[in-house]
């Protein structure tokens, strides 16, 4: 998993509430178990018309937001069915951080397991970011995980967010569940060696 330390990039506004995982990545794209290649299908039913052409006024199709790294979203983002493909699609598009007032629990947990940072701010703070993003296309934010802050690049605005210490540690060090397990390789090998000595008949 890629480390998340500090991110500076364009912030795209999506002031829709209850954006569910089927809107993020529709069910027909869940056949793959590969994490790459899903970015082109992110928000598929909103980004493209029935002929597969881009919908010009969809935020991520606008020139100013095509390279967005931060998504500022409405309340209850990521609700609906459980699918890890949702953070995979966001990451593959290039988005490393989603800012909202709240997130669905399973989506929230899946974000941390895949290197995507979900940031919860107050309604007033998110509304102010919506205004800045929409009023100044190309508006950038700096998200600093170590300092737990979201800042405008000119430093005029700084917003604090909370994050679980263990999840913060994992993101800063690029550790998913497999990575955490591999850090215990020596202990695992020692345990297996003891098992072979104690129960040799079991391994015959």
């Amino acid at each position: 998993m890629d480390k998340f330390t500090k991110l500076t990039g364009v912030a795209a506004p999506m002031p829709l509430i209850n954006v569910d995982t089927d809107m993020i990545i529709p069910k027909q794209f869940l056949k793959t178990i590969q994490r790459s290649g899903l970015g082109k299908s992110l928000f598929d039913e909103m980004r493209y018309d029935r002929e597969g052409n881009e919908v010009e006024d969809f935020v991520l199709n606008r020139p100013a937001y095509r390279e967005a790294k931060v998504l500022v979203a409405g309340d209850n983002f990521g609700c609906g069915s459980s699918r890890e493909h949702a953070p995979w699609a966001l990451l593959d598009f290039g988005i490393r951080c989603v800012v909202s007032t709240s997130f669905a629990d399973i989506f929230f947990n899946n974000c941390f397991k895949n290197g995507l940072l979900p940031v919860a701010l107050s309604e007033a703070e998110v509304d102010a970011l919506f205004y800045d993003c929409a009023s100044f296309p190309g508006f950038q934010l700096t998200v600093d995980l170590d300092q737990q802050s979201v800042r405008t690049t000119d430093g005029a605005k700084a917003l604090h967010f909370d994050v679980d210490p263990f999840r913060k540690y994992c993101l800063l060090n690029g550790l998913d569940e497999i990575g955490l397990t591999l850090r215990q390789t020596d202990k695992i090998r020692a345990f297996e060696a003891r098992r072979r000595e104690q129960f040799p008949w079991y391994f015959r």
Side-chain angles (χ1 to χ4, degrees):
M1 186 173 79
D2 291 337
K3 295 180 180 179
F4 191 113
T5 52
K6 182 186 290 187
L7 171 72
T8 297
V10 171
M14 186 178 286
L16 301 175
I17 63 171
N18 301 321
V19 172
D20 63 33
T21 52
D22 194 55
M23 294 169 69
I24 297 172
I25 183 73
K27 58 184 179 298
Q28 62 266 33
F29 301 109
L30 304 185
K31 298 175 183 178
T32 181
I33 58 172
Q34 300 294 324
R35 301 188 183 197
S36 60
L38 289 170
K40 63 181 180 295
S41 303
L42 177 70
F43 299 117
D44 181 82
E45 294 176 359
M46 292 188 283
R47 280 174 71 192
Y48 308 104
D49 62 23
R50 292 184 178 181
E51 286 70 44
N53 302 309
E54 288 188 351
V55 176
E56 291 185 7
D57 61 353
F58 180 71
V59 60
L60 296 181
N61 290 338
R62 300 174 194 167
Y65 304 114
R66 285 183 178 272
E67 303 297 322
K69 296 184 182 300
V70 180
L71 183 67
V72 183
D75 190 54
N76 197 32
F77 188 83
C79 57
S81 63
S82 168
R83 59 186 69 175
E84 205 163 2
H85 294 67
W88 292 357
L90 287 161
L91 286 165
D92 194 60
F93 180 86
I95 292 170
R96 293 293 314 275
C97 176
V98 180
V99 178
S100 180
T101 52
S102 69
F103 299 89
D105 289 343
I106 296 176
F107 174 81
F108 186 77
N109 292 332
N110 283 338
C111 286
F112 285 102
K113 293 178 180 180
N114 289 281
L116 178 68
L117 177 62
V119 171
L121 297 176
S122 71
E123 183 177 355
E125 290 169 332
V126 172
D127 284 346
L129 292 179
F130 281 142
Y131 174 82
D132 290 338
C133 293
S135 299
F136 310 103
F139 176 78
Q140 293 193 351
L141 291 172
T142 294
V143 183
D144 189 327
L145 178 56
D146 186 55
Q147 298 297 315
Q148 297 178 213
S149 67
V150 177
R151 297 175 180 271
T152 54
T153 52
D154 61 5
K157 184 180 296 181
L159 309 172
H160 176 81
F161 63 89
D162 294 323
V163 61
D164 176 80
F166 177 70
R167 286 172 165 168
K168 177 180 178 178
Y169 172 82
C170 290
L171 278 179
L172 287 172
N173 291 280
L175 294 172
D176 58 13
E177 291 170 331
I178 294 175
L180 285 168
T181 301
L182 290 175
R183 294 187 70 153
Q184 307 299 322
T185 298
D186 290 343
K187 292 181 180 179
I188 293 170
R189 287 175 176 165
F191 172 81
E192 290 296 332
R194 290 196 304 273
R195 290 266 298 171
R196 287 182 178 274
E197 291 178 359
Q198 293 171 350
F199 309 105
W201 50 266
Y202 183 79
F203 294 94
R204 290 174 186 169

